[in-house]
Amino acid sequence: MRDPYSLAVITASVRPDRIGPTVTRWFLRHLPRHTDAGVDHIDLAELDLSDDLAGGGDAERFTKRVDKADAFVIVTPEYNHGYPGPLKTAIDTPYEQWRAKPLGFVSYGGASGGLRAVEQLRNVFAELHVPTMRTSVLIPNVHDAFDDGELRDPGPVEAALAEMVRQLNWWAHTLAAARTDRPYDC
């Protein structure tokens, strides 16, 4: 396995007035304290992915980036007790490129901090043979949580970030070695 491993961080919201980039920038600033992974930031708002999954646009480029990654973190809001539709399109665009690669979540929203979106996504990724990290980074009441791009009360959220990335590091290294030793073809 390459060391450091390749980590794709996906910003899921595409709304014009989204706070997702603020959350992603915060995560990316704090990430290097916990891993030496090489990061590929993928902002879904910058991609043209076909809702009907017919390909074209940026589908091939996105699929190659998913294929190259050893692990993923999805930064997602919770909208109406679920995750954004464009994220489902992004998930469904590649297929086997996701398999046997670990994934962590940074979610945000109202009082639940995006927990309901994460729980739905766990089911989707289980079908794609993607192990998800037990610990997630949840940011409740996101519009009140940040001041100048930093969390007002960073303690619990930063502790969750450290634990999630610790888990992700182990799974990324272990599964990359396993995929090299014995390709995953299930």
Side-chain angles (χ1 to χ4, degrees):
M1 158 167 197
R2 332 182 259 288
D3 201 359
Y5 67 90
S6 175
L7 175 63
V9 176
I10 301 170
T11 302
S13 177
V14 301
R15 290 183 176 181
D17 61 344
R18 64 198 175 133
I19 195 168
T22 299
V23 176
T24 300
R25 283 190 299 271
W26 168 83
F27 175 72
L28 292 173
R29 274 194 310 277
H30 293 270
L31 182 63
R33 288 188 287 185
H34 307 287
T35 188
D36 62 349
V39 175
D40 176 20
H41 176 224
I42 303 170
D43 188 339
L44 295 184
E46 297 173 358
L47 297 177
D48 174 24
L49 298 176
S50 175
D51 291 340
D52 65 6
L53 305 176
D58 293 317
E60 184 178 345
R61 185 168 63 99
F62 177 67
T63 299
K64 286 180 180 177
R65 290 170 82 178
V66 169
D67 190 42
K68 182 181 172 193
D70 294 308
F72 308 95
V73 169
I74 292 182
V75 180
T76 187
E78 180 180 302
Y79 295 150
N80 303 316
H81 290 208
Y83 58 92
L87 177 55
K88 181 66 166 121
T89 298
I91 293 167
D92 291 345
T93 296
Y95 186 65
E96 67 268 357
Q97 292 83 2
W98 294 107
R99 290 182 178 175
K101 298 176 183 178
L103 185 143
F105 297 103
V106 175
S107 66
Y108 56 93
S112 76
L115 179 62
R116 293 171 290 229
V118 168
E119 290 307 310
Q120 292 173 16
L121 286 163
R122 288 184 194 282
N123 288 326
V124 172
F125 279 106
E127 184 62 23
L128 291 168
H129 302 241
V130 173
T132 58
M133 300 306 93
R134 181 182 180 279
T135 301
S136 295
V137 178
L138 307 175
I139 304 173
N141 304 310
V142 68
H143 290 285
D144 297 326
F146 283 92
D147 182 24
D148 245 0
E150 287 299 326
L151 288 169
R152 293 178 197 273
D153 182 16
V157 179
E158 288 184 6
L161 183 153
E163 179 59 20
M164 182 202 56
V165 175
R166 187 183 71 76
Q167 294 167 13
L168 194 66
N169 288 336
W170 186 89
W171 280 98
H173 286 283
T174 301
L175 289 177
R179 287 191 314 273
T180 298
D181 182 51
R182 185 175 182 184
Y184 188 82
D185 62 358
C186 298

